[in-house]
Amino acid sequence: MALRLMMDMQLEAKVSCYLKKAFSLLETMIVLLITSGTILMGYGGFKGAQSANNEKIFFRRFEMSWKDTQRLTAYDGYKATVTFQKNLHEVIFLCYRNGHKISKHLELPKGLEPVYDRTINIGKNGTVTPINVMLESNGKIKYKLSAQMGWGVYEITEK
């Protein structure tokens, strides 16, 4: 009888030992909830930073394309246009050189689009017709591009 009692106690100790090693369902759910919340908070900040970085890259590419177009007009004597198209979600640089159409398409970053379709005309000597192009991000006006008269001068201001 004593042997049987001792074996039952050992078995009970082993079972309780196994039960104590595992997490309960409630503890597991709390850990998952905290981890998910932390990941989601970090993702929101990452997405905002990524959007701002994409806009910076776009404006650098815009500046390079603008200078290329300005060079073609000012030095080679060709007319050009820079068109912001809302429905196509892009900016088109277009120049005719010796009867050939030279075009470059820049895709606008996700979330950034012109309020209205606008075309900037650049004359044969590099002068620009004055015009303002408003760019909005998520329904709010974020940037104002002002093309000014003169030698292809433009300015981008953040609202």
Side-chain angles (χ1 to χ4, degrees), residues 116-152:
Y116 303 107
D117 290 348
R118 291 279 192 241
T119 300
I120 301 171
N121 295 309
I122 305 174
K124 287 183 178 182
N125 57 0
T127 58
V128 177
T129 55
I131 192 169
N132 290 324
V133 179
M134 302 293 197
L135 299 171
E136 64 183 4
S137 179
N138 300 323
K140 293 182 179 180
I141 294 178
K142 189 168 183 181
Y143 298 102
K144 176 183 174 185
L145 184 142
S146 300
Q148 302 165 357
M149 290 190 78
W151 286 85

Side-chain angles (χ1 to χ4, degrees), residues 58-67 70 84 93 120 128 131 144-157:
F58 166 76
F59 285 120
R60 279 192 219 130
R61 288 182 179 162
F62 180 86
E63 183 176 354
M64 290 186 329
S65 298
W66 181 273
K67 286 181 179 179
Q70 183 183 9
F84 290 81
F93 292 83
I120 301 171
V128 177
I131 192 169
K144 176 183 174 185
L145 184 142
S146 300
Q148 302 165 357
M149 290 190 78
W151 286 85
V153 177
Y154 75 91
E155 176 184 51
I156 298 174
T157 54

Side-chain angles (χ1 to χ4, degrees), residues 53-79:
N53 191 38
N54 287 342
E55 289 174 7
K56 285 180 186 178
I57 291 170
F58 166 76
F59 285 120
R60 279 192 219 130
R61 288 182 179 162
F62 180 86
E63 183 176 354
M64 290 186 329
S65 298
W66 181 273
K67 286 181 179 179
D68 288 345
T69 304
Q70 183 183 9
R71 181 189 52 78
L72 284 171
T73 58
Y75 302 119
D76 298 340
Y78 300 104
K79 288 184 178 181

Side-chain angles (χ1 to χ4, degrees), residues 34-104:
I34 291 170
T35 305
S36 300
T38 305
I39 289 171
L40 287 175
M41 284 189 294
Y43 180 72
F46 172 74
K47 197 167 185 172
Q50 185 180 22
S51 176
N53 191 38
N54 287 342
E55 289 174 7
K56 285 180 186 178
I57 291 170
F58 166 76
F59 285 120
R60 279 192 219 130
R61 288 182 179 162
F62 180 86
E63 183 176 354
M64 290 186 329
S65 298
W66 181 273
K67 286 181 179 179
D68 288 345
T69 304
Q70 183 183 9
R71 181 189 52 78
L72 284 171
T73 58
Y75 302 119
D76 298 340
Y78 300 104
K79 288 184 178 181
T81 60
V82 179
T83 305
F84 290 81
Q85 292 192 334
K86 184 174 183 166
N87 60 343
L88 294 178
H89 202 69
E90 66 182 0
V91 179
I92 302 169
F93 292 83
L94 184 62
C95 182
Y96 287 96
R97 185 178 189 181
N98 299 328
H100 298 288
K101 181 171 83 170
I102 301 170
S103 67
K104 181 169 187 175

